[in-house]
Amino acid sequence: MSLNRSLEAEKGDAQAMADKLENVDARDVTGLTRRVLWKMDTRILPVLALLFLCSFLDRTNVGNAKIIGLEQDIGISNLQYNQGLAVFYATYIASELPSNLVLKKLTPKIWLPLLTVVWGIVTMCLGFVRNFGSFFAVRALLGIAEGGLLPGMVLYLSGLYTRQEMALRIGIFYTAASLSGAFGGLLARGLSAIAPRGGLEGWRWIFVIEGLITVVAGIISYLLLPTNIVDASFLTEEEKVFAADRLQGKVRSGSGSPDRFDPNLEREERFKWSEVYRGVFNLQVWFTATAYFGILAGLYSFGLFLPTIINDLKITSDPNQSQLWSVIPYAVATPVTGVHPNDYSCPLLTVAVFVAFLSDRMKLRGVMMLFTLPIAIVGYAVIANVPSPHVRFGMTCIMAIGMYSSVPCVLVWNSNNSAGHYKRVTTSALQLAIANCGGFVATFS
């Protein structure tokens, strides 16, 4: 009885706060919006960016390990190495939809950090593989653990931001993918210098130390991420109600009709197979997934084989120097380009973030990609036909700019247009599952 009274009192307080917000004028709405977005951008996005940086670091560090002795030390052929890369994508794809279904049950605060800690431990295990069997098995487990992160983060953000704000936020944390390439090359060069120490070669220390960093990142994210807007300790009660009303469209229109997302309804939504079917048979999912498939085929081949490509160009005779050269294309893909005076988030924008910002402001997704993807296409065309090592290296920078700046637009497309928690769960995971098949193309092309 006392619990019911308490719940009724909380509902009464929330309603009173909502009534109060209805009388807020436009200037106060703008101020509240700035305050809420600033707090969410500075408390949530850096944590997600850290997790995504660790994710890309741990899936592509095998490319850095390859050029300093991984294949020779565990006695595998180039074909077996590629098979080890491919099995990661097989299990990664298979785990995406089940992971998103689990997310609602366990909440993002628990599930995303848990996945991070598990794949960090698995990454450390890669430092102790001794033959093809163990290499293959550990890569498969890494795919299972990592598969749920990106669809889970997209789903999580769709419950925090409006559809006009999503691409920019995804662009901000996706920038961590390009930063991971720059950071990974520097880190790999430093860690490889440890060898041999403790009976482990230098490439093994890459996996051990980077896996340990990921475990620490997972623990930190559990302490900092809120479950949802209602549970965000950094927001005041007024800001929580206002943020929820923004998602329902009440702030803009003043009507009580939901615009896209009602946090209260979605928390109470029960699982129905009909919602899964709605997501699976949504044609937009298949069209955007096909586009994303093409982007990821290039992106994964870039991330996995860039150290090898640079090594084969013979720009330097030292494989360790090749690690440092691999930093440059990623650094070019993340230059500082300024900030819009009305933007509420971080003060430094990368190319990907700038494109995402324009996409949100202009409310265009596909059109923006028509301008960014040709940049990557030019890079691939030149690198395939021009023999000069220096020109081909320059084209890797062009490829990075075109590919990384295209991802936020296609990634946010489905979550913007999928109402209902379980339909959005399905469309987000299905899009990524289809798109990540590009990993097989990247591995064997």
Side-chain angles (χ1 to χ4, degrees):
M1 184 68 72
S2 61
L3 178 60
N4 289 337
R5 283 181 189 150
S6 175
L7 289 173
E8 288 174 5
E10 287 181 8
K11 288 180 180 177
D13 292 341
Q15 184 60 47
M17 186 67 71
D19 293 340
K20 179 182 176 182
L21 287 173
E22 285 183 1
N23 299 319
V24 175
D25 63 29
R27 283 179 300 177
D28 290 336
V29 166
T30 302
L32 268 173
T33 300
R34 286 177 178 273
R35 228 161 58 217
V36 168
L37 287 179
W38 173 256
K39 287 185 177 181
M40 290 198 298
D41 288 350
T42 54
R43 305 296 181 88
I44 296 173
L45 293 183
V47 179
L48 296 184
L50 174 63
L51 298 187
F52 203 54
L53 185 148
C54 291
S55 172
F56 251 76
L57 203 61
D58 292 341
R59 80 178 69 169
T60 59
N61 55 13
V62 66
N64 297 106
K66 178 189 177 185
I67 66 171
I68 54 173
L70 181 149
E71 287 182 331
Q72 295 82 357
D73 290 339
I74 65 175
I76 62 174
S77 65
N78 195 54
L79 175 62
Q80 289 176 318
Y81 170 80
N82 287 339
Q83 289 171 342
L85 299 186
V87 72
F88 168 87
Y89 294 106
T91 55
Y92 185 100
I93 292 164
S95 67
E96 287 179 312
L97 180 54
S99 176
N100 256 14
L101 294 173
V102 172
L103 184 72
K104 180 177 172 66
K105 197 74 174 176
L106 291 185
T107 74
K109 180 179 177 64
I110 296 174
W111 188 239
L112 296 181
L114 178 62
L115 289 177
T116 306
V117 170
V118 170
W119 96 61
I121 293 171
V122 173
T123 298
M124 293 173 69
C125 292
L126 273 173
F128 300 95
V129 297
R130 297 293 174 183
N131 50 46
F132 172 68
S134 57
F135 175 68
F136 188 88
V138 175
R139 287 287 297 178
L141 292 174
L142 185 63
I144 294 173
E146 277 199 46
L149 181 72
L150 183 55
M153 289 198 298
V154 173
L155 185 64
Y156 179 46
L157 286 177
S158 69
L160 299 173
Y161 294 96
T162 66
R163 70 176 79 187
Q164 289 81 22
E165 298 159 353
M166 277 284 289
L168 176 59
R169 273 70 198 181
I170 288 178
I172 290 171
F173 83 70
Y174 207 92
T175 298
S178 56
L179 288 175
S180 72
F183 181 64
L186 290 172
L187 192 58
R189 174 64 185 91
L191 294 176
S192 63
I194 296 176
R197 198 66 65 86
L200 300 177
E201 296 88 346
W203 63 265
R204 296 184 186 275
W205 282 107
I206 294 175
F207 293 122
V208 172
I209 301 299
E210 291 183 3
L212 184 60
I213 292 172
T214 299
V215 171
V216 173
I219 295 170
I220 291 172
S221 68
Y222 173 75
L223 298 175
L224 297 180
L225 285 179
T227 299
N228 49 46
I229 287 175
V230 176
D231 296 326
S233 60
F234 52 82
L235 295 178
T236 65
E237 289 303 317
E238 179 187 24
E239 290 166 346
K240 290 176 184 178
V241 174
F242 178 79
D245 283 350
R246 287 178 66 250
L247 294 177
Q248 297 176 55
K250 292 180 181 179
V251 172
R252 185 183 66 251
S253 64
S255 67
S257 59
D259 172 49
R260 172 184 65 90
F261 173 81
D262 187 332
N264 298 318
L265 291 178
E266 294 219 355
R267 276 199 302 273
E268 297 168 4
E269 184 182 344
R270 294 183 179 277
F271 176 77
K272 294 178 183 177
W273 280 109
S274 61
E275 290 296 293
V276 176
Y277 297 147
R278 282 180 64 214
V280 170
F281 293 105
N282 185 337
L283 286 179
Q284 186 185 61
V285 175
W286 293 88
F287 289 138
T288 58
T290 302
Y292 198 16
F293 169 89
I295 295 171
L296 284 190
L299 201 63
Y300 284 146
S301 63
F302 187 85
L304 290 170
F305 294 106
L306 182 62
T308 302
I309 292 170
I310 293 174
N311 203 39
D312 291 344
L313 290 177
K314 305 300 182 185
I315 295 175
T316 173
S317 58
D318 183 1
N320 284 320
Q321 291 296 320
S322 295
Q323 308 275 21
L324 298 178
W325 277 84
S326 71
V327 172
I328 298 173
Y330 292 105
V332 171
T334 55
V336 176
T337 61
V339 65
H340 191 282
N342 293 325
D343 185 38
Y344 310 131
S345 56
C346 61
L348 299 181
L349 293 181
T350 66
V351 169
V353 176
F354 180 66
V355 171
F357 172 78
L358 289 180
S359 176
D360 275 344
R361 285 302 171 100
M362 300 172 68
K363 299 181 182 178
L364 296 172
R365 308 302 184 200
V367 173
M368 299 301 299
M369 293 163 59
L370 291 177
F371 286 94
T372 56
L373 285 176
I375 298 173
I377 293 171
V378 168
Y380 273 101
V382 174
I383 202 172
N385 294 285
V386 175
S388 169
H390 293 91
V391 172
R392 295 173 72 188
F393 176 76
M395 289 302 103
T396 63
C397 302
I398 298 297
M399 290 154 55
I401 291 172
M403 288 186 295
Y404 279 105
S405 60
S406 301
V407 171
C409 298
V410 70
L411 194 56
V412 77
W413 220 334
N414 283 316
S415 60
N416 272 181
N417 295 283
S418 299
H421 178 82
Y422 286 107
K423 182 185 177 184
R424 195 160 62 253
V425 163
T426 305
T427 57
S428 296
L430 183 60
Q431 181 197 36
L432 285 163
I434 296 168
N436 277 300
C437 291
F440 296 111
V441 177
T443 300
F444 293 107
S445 60

